Amino acid sequence: MDVLAFHEAIDGYCSDSGQTLLLRLAVQDPQPEQLFVRIEPDNEEYLVAMSAKERVGLWCFYDAEVTKSPHTHQTEYLFKFVGEDDSCWLGSAGTEPHMPRNIHMFRVSHDAHIPAWPSEQVFYQIFPERFANGDPTLSPFSGEYRYLDRVDIVAKQWHEQPDHKTGGFEFFGGDLIGLRERLPYLREQLGVTALYINPVFTSQSSHKYDTIDYFNVDPHFGGNSALQQLIETAHSNQMKVVLDAVINHTSIMHPWFQAALAGSEQDKARYVFNEHGYASWKGHKNLPTLDFSDPVVLKDMITGGDSVIRHWLRPPYNIDGWRMDVVHMIGEGSGAKNNDHYLRELRQVIKSENAEALLLGEHFFEATAWLQGDQEDCAMNYFGFAHPVRAFFAGLDIALHPIKLDAQQFGKWLRETRARISFKHQLLQFNQLDSHDTPRFLSMLKGNVELLNVAIGFLMTYIGTPCLYYGTEIGLTGENDPGCRGTFPWDEAEWNLGLFEHTQRWIKHRTTLTSLASGAVVDLYAESDCLVFARVLESEQALIVLNRGEGCSLECRDRLIPLTSEWEQLEGGARMSQLSGTLTFDVPPCSISLWVRR
């Protein structure tokens, strides 16, 4: 059967009504003889008949009420179309001639504490030591102390480049005072609305992923008062703040580990000591792994009344969420044993302090298992966004090996990754082009700013929560750590102003078009170098055409339910025409275009 249908868990198509879900499905003529919703309320199949309700042009809308699954954190369902001599199915990955696998069932999470606000934001990631120096008297000076009691730290001038030889113990003087002073740039000039800040707690390194004191902001960043003032100023400007938590491991200079080395059995129990020494994060001996089977570790980090996780969610700081470093590695012993148990505990604690607080997990690879409604709100979407985007635009995989991906393969990768999680979780997935752990995207593109423009437009229009890494908007370059952690040049003569203005416009589109923040994805075309898709709500639709290659013409089937207004072009040089259910585009080279209708 060739069925053109639309369903996604957007308002009007999926309504939560106590113990039931009201589901809506739109089907274009010709209509099937029978329509069913397939559910598994007790792990057994039930087919619920759908009834026709109304028509809009060639589209007919069907409704059904189904029982929510009482034994899981989410309800899963599919649609079945039955004709005279054939049948087919609609799941989250599209229409199929046979019943899809369960991973491609539509999902609705039952958790009322999945926050909606992140998808409405444009985040900006800041590596504090390299963003802005607000108080030079706080800056470390060369030889001030010995890093890990081994080597003198190195102070560098703001205009110098990071050096891999001194990486973690070289300092440029960035602090939270400087970040607070630059909030007008971020909020008013650039238009970002939320901050994700790399670790700020006391540490001997410049990156702060080796924590010595979880309850005090590093004095070189300005201490606790600087963080409090930063958050208060951000909140007064309607900006959210998410901090980075590193609880899988500590620094070897942490008092617990030092006491363990000195013979304290109580402190030794916090870590994993054996005949070969002690377990550490990925073998880095300066990052000893915490053992969450020790009740004191669990209490101090997560569950205790004054735990690290609770402390910063409470006044006077009131952070808006946690980004959990290597969250999939938190567990018992030297590995991640019972990881899901501890993440459920973590979720319960965070939501008990603030139901709207964000729980964001770091995963460099697929995070589906952690995004089923009982653990994380969202993940750093490397597998579902950064990996395919890097492959499609830069021809590189996560290991920086060459890879060739055309638009059809690109679209398939994106569709399959979002199909495995609920629509609410899709909206929150944390999308980035690059980060402090990867080469800068412009460097991966070998300096091709036009291609970066297309990628930024895609970042701002694709489903999920967009996050810019600091300096992307002005054309910063840099290879792997520490090259990707260079300082922000505040002299505008060093900026690519064309790129900056382009980024400003697309951020504005993202923050003003509701469909880009909360709309479903409808795939329309994917071949060669071009991708066409829409973000749709009942009352607004955005249409996006991107091309990484030469100028071309393309034609695709119009799979969008019509609205009352005509398309208005907001961005780009592509030209569109409509005729008899077909969309035709003339697309300029290396471009991205945007239309909206309501």
Side-chain angles (χ1 to χ4, degrees), residues 69-247:
S69 297
H71 64 288
T72 63
H73 295 280
Q74 58 188 359
T75 295
E76 301 177 348
Y77 58 94
L78 295 166
F79 296 99
K80 185 177 185 179
F81 306 83
V82 180
E84 182 178 353
D85 58 0
D86 196 5
S87 62
C88 67
W89 296 80
L90 176 66
S92 57
T95 304
E96 300 187 47
H98 55 79
M99 188 173 73
R101 298 169 61 194
N102 280 14
I103 59 171
H104 288 158
M105 295 181 79
F106 289 104
R107 292 165 165 78
V108 174
S109 175
H110 300 165
D111 191 343
H113 303 312
I114 297 177
W117 61 264
S119 70
E120 300 169 355
Q121 314 301 314
V122 173
F123 270 81
Y124 192 85
Q125 180 190 350
I126 292 175
F127 196 80
E129 217 281 320
R130 309 290 158 84
F131 187 63
N133 185 330
D135 185 351
T137 66
L138 299 176
S139 301
F141 55 86
S142 293
E144 180 181 348
Y145 60 86
R146 291 182 65 78
Y147 177 62
L148 305 181
D149 288 342
R150 297 173 190 165
V151 60
D152 289 342
I153 65 167
V154 176
K156 303 186 76 170
Q157 297 299 308
W158 196 257
H159 65 274
E160 293 184 276
Q161 294 299 311
D163 187 336
H164 72 277
K165 295 178 182 178
T166 50
F169 57 92
E170 63 180 8
F171 295 85
F172 292 79
D175 53 42
L176 298 184
I177 294 90
L179 171 50
R180 180 168 57 87
E181 291 174 347
R182 298 297 181 174
L183 288 181
Y185 161 77
L186 296 172
R187 187 69 179 97
E188 298 164 20
Q189 288 183 253
L190 188 57
V192 299
T193 59
L195 305 177
Y196 152 44
I197 306 175
N198 288 114
V200 297
F201 305 120
T202 303
S203 162
Q204 288 191 335
S205 70
S206 55
H207 55 74
K208 310 300 180 196
Y209 280 95
D210 49 353
T211 311
I212 292 177
D213 183 349
Y214 289 92
F215 291 97
N216 284 290
V217 173
D218 196 286
H220 291 113
F221 284 172
N224 292 3
S225 62
L227 178 62
Q228 181 181 342
Q229 291 169 21
L230 167 63
I231 295 172
E232 289 175 350
T233 304
H235 284 172
S236 69
N237 285 277
Q238 290 74 54
M239 299 181 76
K240 304 286 189 179
V241 179
V242 171
L243 294 188
D244 211 332
V246 189
I247 64 173

Side-chain angles (χ1 to χ4, degrees), residues 335-404:
K337 183 179 179 181
N338 289 328
N339 173 259
D340 56 344
H341 167 75
Y342 295 107
L343 290 203
R344 291 187 187 103
E345 293 247 34
L346 176 65
R347 179 176 188 80
Q348 189 278 323
V349 166
I350 289 176
K351 301 303 180 178
S352 70
E353 293 293 333
N354 177 2
E356 290 298 304
L358 182 67
L359 172 50
L360 164 63
E362 182 201 23
H363 302 266
F364 249 80
F365 299 96
E366 187 179 359
T368 301
W370 290 266
L371 297 168
Q372 298 303 314
D374 59 337
Q375 297 180 53
E376 299 166 23
D377 293 323
C378 58
M380 297 190 75
N381 198 16
Y382 282 101
F383 187 73
F385 184 84
H387 289 196
V389 166
R390 177 186 299 190
F392 182 67
F393 286 103
L396 297 170
D397 69 11
I398 190 61
L400 301 180
H401 295 147
I403 181 174
K404 291 183 178 179

Side-chain angles (χ1 to χ4, degrees), residues 261-275:
L261 292 179
S264 167
E265 292 301 321
Q266 178 180 349
D267 288 287
K268 207 168 184 180
R270 297 177 185 266
Y271 300 91
V272 183
F273 284 87
N274 52 46
E275 65 274 16

